[in-house]
Amino acid sequence: MIFGDFILDLAKSLIQKDEKEVELTKNEFRILKYLSENRGKIIPRDEIMENLWESESFIDDNTLTVNITRLRNKLEELGLKELLQTRRGQGYILV
C-alpha cells in the first residue's frame, strides 16, 4: 500500500521509504495500517486499542503507549519523525 511518503508492505510487515525499510511488529504494523487508512483524522486511543486487540478484555493503556513509542522510533529511522502526532486528550493522527 502506497501512502504518499512511504510504502506499507502488507506481505512483509514492513515500512519503506526511498531505499530504506524497517520491519514492524504485528502490533506496530496494525497501528500504522489503521492510522494510514484514516490519515488526516484524529483517532482516539480507545478506538486504536479496540481495533488492535479486537477484544472487550481490558488491555493496559500503557501497552498502546509502548507500541506507539516503538513505532515512532522506527518512523524516525526513515526520516518520518513528524508523521505520527499526538493530539493531547484526543488521540493520534497521521499527517
Side-chain angles (χ1 to χ4, degrees):
M1 301 175 80
I2 300 172
F3 292 101
D5 39 5
F6 67 92
I7 297 171
L8 194 55
D9 189 323
L10 303 174
K12 297 179 183 175
S13 190
L14 57 84
I15 183 173
Q16 180 181 7
K17 181 178 185 242
D18 303 325
E19 299 300 314
K20 291 183 185 177
E21 59 185 37
V22 176
E23 283 188 38
L24 302 172
T25 66
K26 181 179 84 170
N27 286 344
E28 293 163 353
F29 179 82
R30 290 177 72 184
I31 292 168
L32 185 57
K33 183 176 182 285
Y34 190 69
L35 290 172
S36 296
E37 291 168 345
N38 292 281
R39 195 165 189 173
K41 178 182 170 192
I42 298 170
I43 307 297
R45 289 177 61 87
D46 59 340
E47 185 176 327
I48 295 170
M49 288 190 295
E50 184 178 310
N51 178 269
L52 187 60
W53 286 284
E54 300 173 346
S55 168
E56 294 296 319
S57 64
F58 179 76
I59 301 296
D60 184 4
D61 192 55
N62 190 48
T63 304
L64 179 60
T65 302
V66 168
N67 280 279
I68 292 286
T69 299
R70 289 180 184 159
L71 179 56
R72 277 198 170 112
N73 291 336
K74 291 180 179 185
L75 291 171
E76 189 172 349
E77 286 180 42
L78 297 173
L80 298 168
K81 183 178 180 178
E82 301 300 320
L83 185 68
L84 176 56
Q85 297 181 2
T86 302
R87 297 294 164 91
R88 191 170 297 279
Q90 298 176 66
Y92 299 100
I93 185 170
L94 210 64
V95 296

